[in-house]
Amino acid sequence: MKEHRPRIVIAGTGSGVGKTTITLGLMAAFRRRNMTVQGFKTGPDYIDPTYHTAVTGRSSRNLDVWMMPRNRVREIFLRGSEGADLSIVEGVMGLYDGKDPLSDTGSTADIAILLQSPVVLVVDIHSMARSVAAIVMGFQQLNPEVAIRGVIVNKAGSEGHYRLAKAAIEQECGIPVFGWLPRDAELNIPERHLGLIPAVERGELQPLFEQLADVIEQGVDLDALISVADEAPALAWPEERLFVPVAASEGRRPVIAVARDAAFHFYYPENLELLTLAGADLRFFSPLAGEPVPEEADGLMIGGGFPEEFVSELAQEEDVKDSIRRKIAEGLPTFAECGGYMYLCEAIIDRAGREHPMVGVIPAKVTMRDRLAALGYREVTALSDSVLLEKGEKARGHEFHYSALTPETEDYPRAYACEGRFGTRLEGYVKGNVLAGYVHLHFASHPEMVRRWLLICREYGKRRDRV
């Protein structure tokens, strides 16, 4: 079965050319037309999707062919774009930058080919005129399978400068230039860091989004972009789908308590959806708001985020910490990643050297750093059985944090052998009913994690109910 989904990929010649600025501006401008817009992000990044979600009002989704099979990426796109008038996929780095310098694997180009999507190339024309045509032509010729259907130029010195670049591109490359953004538009997106996300959620960046829409409306032919998006061919659903409801099992649905607030913000939407489709009943609670773990919980999930931005508030919520300690001591199956991992440790030491007591069920302390401590794709191999993985099973994910963890015991039980581009190291914590680590695992990379966790949660619920 094939379905028509109007779509475009916003790609760049490299990082820093204005992909995010133009993507957000387009989303905001199309929303002004009362269009339903769905955002996607190439790769594992979760800051840009937060922006997308704030602008469009729909959860933005990651499209990543390294973390999961290609048919699942196509399924995620088709599911996510249901009900949308237009889907906009923001690329990563340069159009052809991916896992391998000798192929397009994992790149924005790879996603565009997989989705049979037209590509709009963003080019920074600062200090260039006719030469920009050579750049665009090179991108066209490197892989003709990539359907580069037009260009938006950024950082033009004037309308006259834009006209020179437009004439050169259209004559030499045979594709339209849809519009331009001026160099002095004061459209700088704030530096991308985790502390921005609460500001996004509070609506503090809404004036910037409106300004972006103004500039896009003034300089870009939106009707032409809609026409290009409408011409994208219908996409076929995979023959075998992962995201389908599982037949209801006997007894009640296991309840998984999910921490979700400004401190614990990041979850791949598909992880939560897979849990729900497999039969879980998700109950959200806010540690920041002083909400304890729901008493009916059969499992506990504390996701990523930035507890370091809220260490004082989290440290003061003693009732919340007590509820987590008590539930874990009772055997509640618990999975925590990145920010959640940090929260379960004994303390977080902020950049000023102040120590803030956290939950304390993991014998380690976390120290914040000024520089990025880890970034990149990870494949983990379970070193022992846990609530998600059996010993030897593998899963894939992404790591991104500014902190370093120091165990307070010599026999610290590591969860994974974690493989990245710099080799393999030990990562995470596993003991009894608790699994925690810095790696954000994508459940679609190994769906057995979902089934295993819900089985363990059901068994816990049965034992608790018998007591």
Side-chain angles (χ1 to χ4, degrees):
M1 180 178 65
K2 292 187 175 182
E3 294 190 13
H4 178 56
R5 298 291 165 80
R7 58 196 181 274
I8 53 174
V9 171
I10 304 300
T13 56
S15 296
V17 298
K19 291 189 302 294
T20 299
T21 297
I22 289 171
T23 297
L24 296 177
L26 290 172
M27 289 175 171
F30 286 122
R31 285 282 288 158
R32 280 185 179 175
R33 294 186 170 198
N34 294 318
M35 294 177 65
T36 301
V37 182
Q38 175 62 49
F40 295 91
K41 175 67 180 181
T42 303
D45 177 87
Y46 56 90
I47 296 179
D48 288 342
T50 301
Y51 291 144
H52 299 174
T53 300
V55 175
T56 67
R58 291 169 62 107
S59 293
S60 182
R61 295 164 185 272
N62 298 84
L63 303 173
D64 195 306
V65 294
W66 184 84
M67 284 205 288
M68 68 197 82
R70 301 175 72 83
N71 62 341
R72 290 179 191 163
V73 173
R74 190 165 78 251
E75 183 181 0
I76 285 172
F77 174 80
L78 285 164
R79 276 176 48 82
S81 59
E82 285 180 335
D85 299 314
L86 174 65
S87 293
I88 300 178
V89 181
E90 180 180 352
V92 61
M93 298 185 291
L95 173 59
Y96 295 107
D97 298 321
K99 185 72 174 170
D100 180 1
L102 301 181
S103 75
D104 297 335
T105 302
S107 67
T108 303
D110 196 6
I111 292 293
I113 293 170
L114 175 65
L115 299 182
Q116 302 173 53
S117 177
V119 173
V120 176
L121 188 66
V122 177
V123 186
D124 181 343
I125 64 169
H126 185 270
S127 301
M128 283 190 295
R130 179 170 166 77
S131 295
V132 72
I135 294 174
V136 174
M137 187 179 297
F139 275 82
Q140 288 176 301
Q141 294 179 356
L142 185 60
N143 187 343
E145 283 190 71
V146 181
I148 300 177
R149 295 294 308 278
V151 173
I152 296 175
V153 298
N154 192 18
K155 298 185 180 178
S158 64
E159 184 171 356
H161 181 202
Y162 158 63
R163 297 292 175 190
L164 292 174
K166 174 180 171 68
I169 293 169
E170 293 184 344
Q171 173 180 288
E172 302 299 339
C173 304
I175 56 175
V177 177
F178 294 119
W180 67 297
L181 274 70
R183 189 184 310 161
D184 59 354
E186 297 182 357
L187 293 174
N188 295 322
I189 302 292
E191 183 182 354
R192 297 167 72 260
H193 63 86
L194 296 177
L196 266 181
I197 294 180
V200 175
E201 294 187 328
R202 289 191 298 266
E204 293 174 13
L205 295 189
Q206 193 60 36
L208 172 62
F209 299 151
E210 295 298 327
Q211 184 186 12
L212 291 173
D214 291 341
V215 174
I216 288 291
E217 287 179 338
Q218 292 166 13
V220 177
D221 188 342
L222 297 176
D223 291 329
L225 286 175
I226 291 173
S227 295
V228 168
D230 280 338
E231 293 169 4
L235 273 181
W237 284 88
E239 292 184 9
E240 294 185 6
R241 299 192 197 180
L242 175 63
F243 293 85
V244 293
V246 175
S249 60
E250 295 182 5
R252 65 177 178 82
R253 294 165 63 94
V255 174
I256 295 184
V258 181
R260 188 167 70 178
D261 55 25
F264 306 104
H265 170 272
F266 174 67
Y267 297 91
Y268 289 119
E270 293 75 25
N271 284 7
L272 301 181
E273 290 168 358
L274 283 171
L275 288 170
T276 300
L277 290 171
D281 180 6
L282 304 185
R283 303 284 175 84
F284 296 100
F285 73 105
S286 170
L288 266 181
E291 297 173 358
V293 179
E295 285 297 324
E296 66 273 22
D298 302 308
L300 171 63
M301 186 175 186
I302 310 178
F306 29 87
E308 67 270 22
E309 298 288 328
F310 304 94
V311 284
S312 296
E313 295 94 325
L314 290 171
Q316 292 170 7
E317 293 295 347
E318 293 294 346
D319 289 345
V320 179
K321 293 189 292 183
D322 285 343
S323 77
I324 295 173
R325 284 190 290 264
R326 176 172 56 81
K327 286 291 187 180
I328 288 177
E330 292 172 356
L332 183 68
T334 299
F335 172 55
E337 55 186 8
C338 203
Y341 183 25
M342 296 162 61
Y343 182 50
L344 291 185
C345 289
E346 293 178 1
I348 294 176
I349 302 170
D350 64 25
R351 292 181 177 88
R354 295 183 294 265
E355 187 170 307
H356 305 266
M358 295 291 110
V359 176
V361 297
I362 293 178
K365 292 184 179 180
V366 175
T367 303
M368 299 309 305
R369 301 283 177 82
D370 291 326
R371 295 183 178 181
L372 197 61
L375 172 66
Y377 287 123
R378 302 289 186 262
E379 182 171 67
V380 303
T381 303
L383 297 176
S384 61
D385 291 349
S386 72
V387 295
L388 291 187
L389 296 164
E390 292 184 356
K391 182 178 180 179
E393 285 188 314
K394 297 179 183 293
R396 289 186 170 187
H398 184 253
E399 190 174 3
F400 175 44
H401 54 91
Y402 282 82
S403 64
L405 182 143
T406 304
E408 297 288 291
T409 177
E410 293 183 0
D411 58 346
Y412 192 82
R414 293 292 186 177
Y416 316 123
C418 181
E419 182 179 352
R421 59 180 176 147
F422 297 119
T424 301
R425 59 184 174 80
L426 300 182
E427 209 278 300
Y429 173 90
V430 60
K431 186 174 182 180
N433 56 315
V434 176
L435 172 66
Y438 270 123
V439 179
H440 295 278
L441 299 178
H442 203 300
F443 290 173
S445 73
H446 185 65
E448 285 299 323
M449 290 189 286
V450 174
R451 289 183 275 273
R452 177 176 174 81
W453 196 17
L454 293 195
L455 177 63
I456 290 173
C457 289
R458 285 191 181 97
E459 291 301 318
Y460 169 81
K462 289 177 183 178
R463 291 195 306 271
R464 184 197 56 204
D465 293 343
R466 288 196 296 265
V467 174

